[in-house]
Amino acid sequence: MGGQISIKNDESQLFAGDIINVQGDIVEQWNVKINPGETLSLDDKSLVVGDQYRIRMMLGNDQLMAKEDDLILFAFKNHGSLSFTVSELFAKDKISSLEVEYLFEQILPGIRIEDTVFHGKKYAQSFFAKELVTYLVVHEVASSVEDAVEKCRVLAEAGVLVFL
């Protein structure tokens, strides 16, 4: 991703988290534990931009987990340093909006927006999803058709793309 990520534990319990790649392996240096009030800074060079990862997050200790959650996202470009609190990670809004912004920047050049006619019905300022999927695969923004469709799904869930 290209920069530093800082995580501050603003919760009252131990935070434990890791990042898992698509092969199911924990990404090097991303198996972390942060005590309440402490901040941990990590280099994000072990994350590949555009690849999908699972972030597993837990609050508590080995005997009692108070909170547990997962987040699936595509790694986005980090041009410097990003800071998150543990509560922001659990809320998912901040990291999800960064992911959507990155995906939109990647997808926008592949969208040919124009008035189109499909089955006799005119759609203003629209595009065909199959053209976008082809663009993403051909230009190596996505590693496969399935990957391209998943990236479009993330944008649709965020309301950036709307299916007609």
Side-chain angles (χ1 to χ4, degrees):
M1 289 173 44
Q4 291 283 319
I5 296 178
S6 297
I7 304 169
K8 178 180 171 103
N9 187 351
D10 61 338
E11 298 284 342
S12 61
Q13 299 175 329
L14 176 72
F15 170 78
D18 51 35
I19 296 180
I20 301 166
N21 62 24
V22 292
Q23 291 81 24
D25 301 321
I26 295 174
V27 177
E28 184 181 340
Q29 86 169 2
W30 285 95
N31 184 2
V32 300
K33 290 186 177 171
I34 308 171
N35 290 313
E38 291 184 357
T39 301
L40 179 66
S41 291
L42 297 164
D43 183 344
D44 65 7
K45 290 183 177 138
S46 56
L47 302 175
V48 178
V49 172
D51 281 5
Q52 194 171 39
Y53 294 93
R54 175 177 165 222
I55 300 174
R56 191 169 48 186
M57 306 173 286
M58 295 149 278
L59 275 180
N61 57 42
D62 293 337
Q63 288 77 34
L64 179 63
M65 278 297 152
K67 194 174 190 182
E68 198 170 347
D69 206 351
D70 281 13
L71 174 65
I72 307 290
L73 76 132
F74 291 96
F76 47 84
K77 283 187 182 170
N78 176 8
H79 298 289
S81 66
L82 293 172
S83 296
F84 296 98
T85 63
V86 167
S87 52
E88 286 174 332
L89 289 175
F90 275 103
K92 301 179 184 176
D93 295 343
K94 183 176 178 180
I95 198 163
S96 293
S97 65
L98 289 168
E99 174 193 30
V100 166
E101 182 181 318
Y102 163 74
L103 289 174
F104 185 70
E105 288 172 359
Q106 296 300 304
I107 287 173
L108 187 60
I111 299 176
R112 185 178 49 143
I113 299 174
E114 59 190 9
D115 293 346
T116 57
V117 177
F118 186 68
H119 292 292
K121 187 171 179 182
K122 185 175 180 179
Y123 295 92
Q125 299 297 295
S126 58
F127 66 93
F128 289 104
K130 68 180 182 179
E131 292 176 6
L132 176 57
V133 168
T134 300
Y135 170 87
L136 295 174
V137 173
V138 168
H139 290 88
E140 298 179 354
V141 173
S143 60
S144 66
V145 169
E146 294 79 15
D147 186 35
V149 169
E150 179 64 18
K151 288 179 178 184
C152 292
R153 184 195 60 75
V154 168
L155 290 172
E157 286 179 359
V160 174
L161 300 180
V162 178
F163 295 103
L164 301 176

